[in-house]
Amino acid sequence: MQKIKMRKGSSAIAVFFLLFTFPLFAQVVLEQRYDVPFSNGERSPRLAWGGGLNSGQYNRMDLDGDGSEELVIYDRSADNFQIFRRADNDFVPANELAILLPSLQRGWVLFVDYNNDGKKDIFSYGLAGTIVHKNIAGDGEPVRWKKVADPLFTTGYSGKINLIVNSADVPAIVDIDSDGDVDILVYNFAIGGYIRYNKNMSMEYFGHADSLEYLLETRRWGQFEECDCNDFKFSGESCSNSSGRVQHPGGKALMAFDADGDGDMDLTVGHEQCTELYFYENRGDIDSAYMIDYSNMFPDSLHPANFNLFPAGYFIDLDYDGVKDLAVTPSFEDNYNFKIDFAHSNWVYHNKGRDDHPEFSFVLDDFLQGEMMDFGENAMPFAADVDADGSTDLLVAANGFWNGEYYSGRIIYIRNEGSAGEPAFIVQEADYAGLSSLKLINPKIAMADLNGDNAPDLIYTGMRYQDFKESGWYILNEAGVGSPFVFDVNKRQVFTLPERFEPGDTPSFFDVDSDGNPDLLVGKKNGALEYHRNSGDNTFVLEDPDFLGIERDFSGLRVKLTAFPADLDMDGKADLIVANSTKTARVYFDFQEQIDTEPDFVGIVMKNEVSGREEPILFDDHTWITGADFYGKATMSLIAGGVRGGLQMFMNPEGSNGGGQGPVLEVKIYPNPISATPGLHIRSNRDVSVEVLTVLGQQVIKSFPVKKFSTVSFDTGFLRNGTYILKAVTDSGAVNSQLFLVLR
């Protein structure tokens, strides 16, 4: 596993930089692979390892300044961006360009050129209201951003107010009145029902489009009110009940476009609790919109954009023929009522007409998804040699099996039919061991030897639809060691989950205390990692609710924790890979030796060709990781599954750590500089010998040992003020040298 030096120290003595480097942090560097052969049994999807797609919000933008727009999809369910270049009439992954996007809050995002300079800008969700980032890049340059509104304001009847768009909504940001600047349509953020028209006064006030001066022109654009699914009031009628509250709250997704070529904006609306995408023809004009009826069979009566639930439309040229098409996706973060088919949730209608008079015809219901491994949602992979042929296969638990009532879980068996150094995968069984019959939602898979016969047994957990509580089963492996797995679902037994186990928690197994029994690690939805010790007979007792110091995150920023125990660097000692909702992952090397210490960890990164740096790999906001030596490099490659229902492959491009000598040497020293106290504390991630030198190389403190993950202190009271070098050396010759200052 390659790990790289990330930071260097600082010194007033320039000669030091010529002689020493001193890494303070190391990281695991991986390479994403899209070229691993994969077949679903019928064909080989071209973007198989793209990770899947659920609730796409579609935009196009020239991010890298090459003159061609990339397809930029924000997946609301996973809270991440998927970016594709268009090449030879195909889409090519270009997620490295995501580094060029500004940091955005979860919710909605639309790319709109508001100032007519030919470069798209960004409107997005903000807690206090709409946030606007202006693209200030020069011609031919990659995008650069300047935040020009946070929040955006509009002038209402009582003065300026925040222009608020709820996180569950999608506004329409278009030129409603055809005056050259972009206006904003959005439902009333507090009670819904009516659409507010925020007119941009930039052209009126300044004669250009480069200002964001909004006026709340009307609170009831189109002169209609939404009451409930397929229930609307027109011509000034109201559907409020006697208490004045709207009967149908929830998210709304708007798309404004000229459907009939008459110059004014017509409208589609998706509602959070409705299956239909509603179309309203504007019978008024650009100054006074007027709707008198609606259609729930839009845009094609043979294939209306109706599905469970909350359809949202995006008017965008998807086939790059110069005419905008229609994409429709569910605008949900989660699978509401578990009746959304997240393997076929990105519908595309080709436009055979013009932008100002489109003629839509249905093309497919799995745009890009059909080119990926997309098993629905929440794909959790587990690497194991299922057929005992010496190559590591994959078992993937995912929520995407229609059981006749709702979408529930199954396990997909993906066999590795490649060689030791060139993996290749094919779907062998779409419903491994018939586990779909258990009808568990959001299933999790784990393996452990529960009966002591040295053969891995199967643990299958998930949520019951009837009461939304977690349930678990285990099935003993009827095959012997070294034989293909044999599991009979009819011989399943109840696996008793801890009382603290909740929906969204993830179990994994490892013999933490080295007593020969598999213990239980639970990655908690609240961000904590729990260690439950196996006290015998697979009875698990909570030993540590904040294992390795990983505790509940009350801020909500570091939640949805998952943990995967594995020997990542193949040094014979167990490591622990941890991911959470920050969409990043980290590694605790030799984690069993860190249990009673202050644990150290490193990040997982990959080289980004755009920034030229090693950047953190960004996964889904709920990610499950597994791994094996798929490439025969005596090191572990990783496979990640996530909310989007697909898989991603990450290879170690350089094999083991320069001969398998373990992680890059990390040494922490503190305090630095030394002033109020004479003691210097040292902590290392490997066994080292430490000495202290002057900057001229003279030894002032003789060599002494420091055991890994232990903290050693020594007295510097006899040292004069000045700069010194602490040099740490391992038995294998790895060196870490750092400056420290004595200033009293």
Side-chain angles (χ1 to χ4, degrees), residues 278-354:
Y278 301 109
F279 170 72
Y280 307 85
E281 181 184 348
N282 187 351
R283 306 299 177 91
D285 54 35
I286 61 174
D287 296 317
S288 181
Y290 187 63
M291 279 69 169
I292 63 173
D293 55 16
Y294 74 97
S295 171
N296 60 10
M297 299 298 289
F298 177 83
D300 180 345
S301 60
L302 295 178
H303 296 280
N306 301 339
F307 51 79
N308 282 303
L309 279 171
F310 196 3
Y314 300 92
F315 196 38
I316 180 173
D317 182 8
L318 291 175
D319 53 13
Y320 285 67
D321 65 353
V323 181
K324 292 182 179 180
D325 308 297
L326 174 66
V328 184
T329 69
S331 197
F332 265 113
E333 293 183 12
D334 302 306
N335 196 339
Y336 181 80
N337 210 26
F338 300 99
K339 293 188 177 180
I340 300 175
D341 183 0
F342 271 135
H344 301 84
S345 58
N346 287 256
W347 295 15
V348 169
Y349 296 81
H350 173 65
N351 184 358
K352 298 182 293 185
R354 309 186 308 267

Side-chain angles (χ1 to χ4, degrees), residues 503-734:
D505 293 351
T506 298
S508 58
F509 292 84
F510 185 80
D511 186 5
V512 176
D513 57 5
S514 301
D515 67 351
N517 296 316
D519 302 304
L520 174 62
L521 295 175
V522 178
K524 299 288 290 180
K525 186 179 180 180
N526 65 24
L529 179 62
E530 293 182 350
Y531 163 36
H532 297 256
R533 183 175 55 83
N534 189 339
S535 61
D537 296 326
N538 298 316
T539 300
F540 298 95
V541 179
L542 180 64
E543 187 77 11
D544 189 346
D546 306 316
F547 188 58
L548 295 178
I550 304 173
E551 57 188 3
R552 178 177 182 177
D553 179 51
F554 288 94
S555 73
L557 299 176
R558 295 175 175 83
V559 294
K560 301 179 182 178
L561 186 128
T562 61
F564 169 57
D567 186 1
L568 186 60
D569 52 4
M570 301 276 181
D571 66 349
K573 298 178 181 179
D575 312 309
L576 190 68
I577 303 171
V578 173
N580 60 28
S581 61
T582 63
K583 300 185 285 293
T584 61
R586 59 196 187 196
V587 181
Y588 293 79
F589 281 103
D590 305 347
F591 78 93
Q592 290 170 286
E593 300 182 18
Q594 300 198 58
I595 293 175
D596 296 323
T597 66
E598 180 184 350
D600 292 311
F601 59 85
V602 300
I604 298 180
V605 302
M606 67 180 178
K607 182 69 175 290
N608 186 289
E609 296 176 0
V610 176
S611 69
R613 302 188 301 267
E614 282 76 21
E615 306 283 358
I617 296 176
L618 295 181
F619 304 96
D620 293 3
D621 78 329
H622 206 167
T623 291
W624 297 267
I625 294 174
T626 190
D629 183 12
F630 291 110
Y631 288 91
K633 292 178 175 289
T635 191
M636 182 173 287
S637 296
L638 301 181
I639 291 179
V643 174
R644 291 177 290 137
L647 303 179
Q648 296 175 283
M649 167 73 84
F650 298 92
M651 183 190 75
N652 172 15
E654 297 187 7
S656 60
N657 310 302
Q661 296 184 10
V664 165
L665 175 59
E666 297 181 77
V667 178
K668 296 181 181 180
I669 61 174
Y670 59 96
N672 189 12
I674 299 170
S675 55
T677 175
L680 180 67
H681 308 290
I682 307 168
R683 181 176 174 80
S684 172
N685 70 331
R686 296 172 64 182
D687 292 344
V688 292
S689 295
V690 173
E691 61 179 334
V692 176
L693 311 170
T694 68
V695 293
L696 298 178
Q698 298 171 320
Q699 188 183 68
V700 292
I701 296 180
K702 293 182 179 180
S703 178
F704 59 92
V706 174
K707 292 290 185 181
K708 68 178 180 180
F709 303 132
S710 64
T711 301
V712 173
S713 304
F714 67 92
D715 188 5
T716 64
F718 67 95
L719 296 178
R720 298 179 180 179
N721 286 356
T723 304
Y724 296 88
I725 300 165
L726 185 141
K727 181 179 179 181
V729 183
T730 68
D731 290 340
S732 61

